[in-house]
Amino acid sequence: MEPKAPPRSHWTQLRLLAANVRRAVGIGWRVERALTTKYVAANVVNALLPVAIAYVGKRIVDAVVAAIDDPAHPLGPTLTWVAAELGLMLASHVSGQLIGYWGQLLRARLAMHVDQLIFEKALRLSVRHFEDPEFMDMLERARKESGWRPVEMITHGLRLGRNVVTLVGYAALLAQFSGWAVLALAVAGLPFLAETRYASEEYLIHARRTARERQAYYLQQLLTSDYYVKEVKLFALGPELLRRHRALHESFYEEDRSFAGRRGLAVTLLGLVSMGVFYGIYVLIVGAAVVEAISLGDMTLYLTVFRQGQGAFESAMSSIARAWEDNLYMNNLFEYLALGDDDLSTVEVGAVPEDEHAPRLRFEHVSFRYPGSERPALDDVSLDIAPGETVALVGPNGAGKTTLIKLLVGLYGLEEGRIRLGDRDVAEMDRGELRQRIGVLFQDFVHYHFTAAENVGLGWLPGLEDREAITKAAEEAIVTAMERESS
């Protein structure tokens, strides 16, 4: 599924961003309410402290100047303001550490929760999705990026709010000097224009290479997995596989190099303009202090506020850009989670009672075509199997033998016809109940990287811990295999 280009309208982008930030915060609130509350509170406190620190810095300078001008001026007020600044700096340090600590915990919890959402959705989707390359690209984008993006959206959203609160306080202080100085802060946002523009482009570059990245990972598995090593060595496939792997990563490098160059140039040029405006205001503030239009404390305050205000503005704009990038990846997750569930089961394994008598199995005019295929895999197939009857399905590869079994156990939905198990229509049965009534062993069955006992026990989960039953099943399988070899 080709990733969608982000909307060009900034208003539409901001509305989508705000909606996904709310959804991300909602996930955090549901998963870790107390931790999310503490994380938000620490961000709010941390946002207010820089304004207070800047104001206290002015009072310290003014108190020092007053003490110099008047030898009788008491030292107590100056030391009081110094102590106040120390307390504020300590509070800023502690709140910053708490933001990092609680943010790390929240990131781990939400990443695990989002992974669970992705896996649970996969369990509710039918096999046909997993044989669709476009769906696999969507799943890969959701799995690879979305686990940690919700916390990043919350982090950047809170950082934006923190910077806005700080900027409002700075602007109120700076407005006492000049309204033009307040407007000049906005020029610091020029690099933001490039950041948002290139954040969208970077997303599209990575999203559109998903299929090639999956192919590169597959080549990596061919080159390093014990499952493939015999054939790779026997047929001397190593150099060819390595060449393909290198070619893919060379294409990734060229895309990244071109993108990084264009973004770096744009951000650098706009940053130079922003820096020029900053030093223009810097000269005005220093000049005002030289002609004694403002005090040294005022000069210290305005320079601090303007310098830190510019940093806060740039940080706010960067937070929007980063949150927008997170938003683009989160859209993958929400698009994936919005897929309709088509393989649901409400019956637990082991909850279906055994049939007293084996039911009759009937295929009635069954037809089926795989998605994207022009040729039907099955065409008007009818079959009647009586209880106790043994039937062998014989035919060349592609004749539809496996497809018939997949339809029987509900791995695919029927297009035409009907399958009946006794007097019940398979299409109307709960998938869990249906699969517990039918035993299937595919020729390409899975070798789980667990113990031998677990590989046997996974065939019937209620007996996973029943060592006696597992041993008996294994012994019977060995006896059956030996009997077949002797015959």
Side-chain angles (χ1 to χ4, degrees):
M1 185 174 295
E2 182 72 13
K4 300 176 183 177
R8 294 184 176 274
S9 166
H10 290 295
W11 175 244
T12 302
Q13 291 179 4
L14 288 175
R15 284 195 295 108
L16 290 173
L17 175 60
N20 280 345
V21 167
R22 286 196 300 271
R23 296 175 76 173
V25 172
I27 293 174
W29 186 255
R30 289 192 301 273
V31 175
E32 278 288 349
R33 181 168 300 184
L35 191 56
T36 302
T37 301
K38 290 188 288 188
Y39 185 59
V40 172
N43 274 271
V44 172
V45 171
N46 191 260
L48 297 172
L49 289 172
V51 179
I53 291 171
Y55 177 75
V56 170
K58 161 190 160 51
R59 297 305 298 262
I60 291 174
V61 173
D62 285 343
V64 170
V65 171
I68 293 174
D69 292 341
D70 182 8
H73 190 280
L75 189 59
T78 304
L79 296 179
T80 300
W81 286 115
V82 171
E85 183 175 89
L86 174 61
L88 292 172
M89 292 296 292
L90 289 174
S92 178
H93 174 72
V94 171
S95 62
Q97 293 301 309
L98 289 174
I99 288 172
Y101 172 65
W102 286 330
Q104 184 174 355
L105 295 182
L106 192 59
R107 182 176 293 105
R109 292 290 292 171
L110 289 194
M112 181 173 62
H113 178 73
V114 171
D115 282 344
Q116 289 294 310
L117 291 178
I118 292 172
F119 301 150
E120 289 170 359
K121 167 58 73 170
L123 294 175
R124 299 194 299 269
L125 296 174
S126 64
V127 171
R128 68 179 179 85
H129 289 287
F130 295 87
E131 296 177 347
D132 180 358
E134 293 183 349
F135 167 80
M136 293 306 296
D137 287 345
M138 178 197 293
L139 176 58
E140 177 68 10
R141 288 193 293 267
R143 184 197 61 78
K144 184 173 65 175
E145 293 284 354
S146 300
W148 55 278
R149 293 285 180 176
V151 173
E152 292 303 302
M153 288 199 72
I154 296 174
T155 299
H156 291 131
L158 290 175
R159 185 176 298 154
L160 173 61
R162 188 167 72 240
N163 287 323
V164 168
V165 171
T166 303
L167 275 171
V168 170
Y170 282 162
L173 295 174
L174 199 58
Q176 300 174 37
F177 172 70
S178 170
W180 291 107
V182 177
L183 292 177
L185 279 178
V187 179
L190 285 175
F192 159 73
L193 299 177
E195 290 287 353
T196 53
R197 160 70 174 78
Y198 286 103
S200 297
E201 182 177 341
E202 184 177 22
Y203 160 76
L204 284 176
I205 288 174
H206 287 281
R208 287 170 176 165
R209 69 167 60 153
T210 304
R212 287 181 293 149
E213 286 181 337
R214 289 202 297 119
Q215 186 179 14
Y217 177 74
Y218 173 66
L219 290 169
Q220 176 185 331
Q221 292 295 103
L222 291 178
L223 287 164
T224 60
S225 172
D226 60 342
Y227 185 77
Y228 304 105
V229 65
K230 294 186 293 295
E231 282 199 11
V232 170
K233 289 185 176 295
L234 181 62
F235 300 119
L237 300 178
E240 173 62 18
L241 298 176
L242 190 59
R243 182 193 66 78
R244 296 188 182 192
H245 186 271
R246 185 185 297 113
L248 286 169
H249 280 276
E250 284 292 338
S251 69
F252 299 156
Y253 171 77
E254 288 301 321
E255 292 172 355
D256 293 340
R257 183 182 64 81
S258 174
F259 169 76
R262 286 181 284 109
R263 180 173 65 177
L265 178 62
V267 173
T268 299
L269 293 177
L270 292 175
L272 291 175
V273 175
S274 174
M275 189 178 299
V277 172
F278 167 74
Y279 277 95
I281 297 297
Y282 198 113
V283 169
L284 291 178
I285 294 174
V286 172
V290 169
V291 299
E292 299 184 347
I294 58 175
S295 69
L296 288 177
D298 288 334
M299 183 192 75
T300 303
L301 172 65
Y302 296 146
L303 288 178
T304 300
V305 165
F306 194 79
R307 182 182 295 109
Q308 294 184 358
Q310 186 182 43
F313 198 96
E314 290 176 348
S315 180
M317 297 301 100
S318 177
S319 294
I320 293 177
R322 298 280 73 80
W324 174 243
E325 181 180 348
D326 295 331
N327 169 73
L328 295 172
Y329 285 99
M330 286 293 289
N331 282 335
N332 290 324
L333 174 65
F334 296 136
E335 183 181 4
Y336 166 75
L337 294 177
L339 292 174
D341 299 336
D342 57 357
D343 194 64
L344 296 173
S345 174
T346 59
V347 177
E348 294 185 3
V349 178
V352 178
E354 293 186 12
D355 294 315
E356 293 185 10
H357 304 287
R360 177 178 291 274
L361 175 63
R362 292 192 296 271
F363 286 77
E364 302 173 355
H365 306 288
V366 171
S367 297
F368 178 78
R369 187 192 313 269
Y370 283 100
S373 174
E374 297 294 331
R375 184 179 66 85
L378 296 173
D379 188 12
D380 195 24
V381 174
S382 294
L383 182 65
D384 192 333
I385 304 176
E389 184 179 1
T390 300
V391 175
L393 302 177
V394 180
N397 289 339
K401 303 183 298 297
T402 301
T403 302
L404 204 69
I405 303 304
K406 288 180 177 179
L407 292 173
L408 171 60
V409 297
L411 294 179
Y412 289 97
L414 278 176
E415 294 177 351
E416 297 180 23
R418 183 169 59 175
I419 302 175
R420 299 185 66 84
L421 195 62
D423 58 353
R424 302 179 65 183
D425 189 333
V426 165
E428 298 175 356
M429 294 177 65
D430 181 275
R431 289 293 177 262
E433 177 188 357
L434 171 64
R435 290 163 189 166
Q436 289 181 56
R437 294 187 181 279
I438 302 173
V440 179
L441 181 63
F442 291 107
Q443 61 184 3
D444 56 346
F445 61 89
V446 178
H447 293 268
Y448 298 96
H449 288 189
F450 304 145
T451 66
E454 288 173 326
N455 267 271
V456 175
L458 287 172
W460 183 245
L461 284 177
L464 183 60
E465 304 298 331
D466 189 340
R467 192 74 179 188
E468 183 179 345
I470 290 174
T471 302
K472 181 180 179 181
E475 291 174 346
E476 290 179 351
I478 292 173
V479 170
T480 301
M482 294 177 64
E483 288 177 347
R484 286 178 178 173
E485 288 181 4
S486 63
S487 61

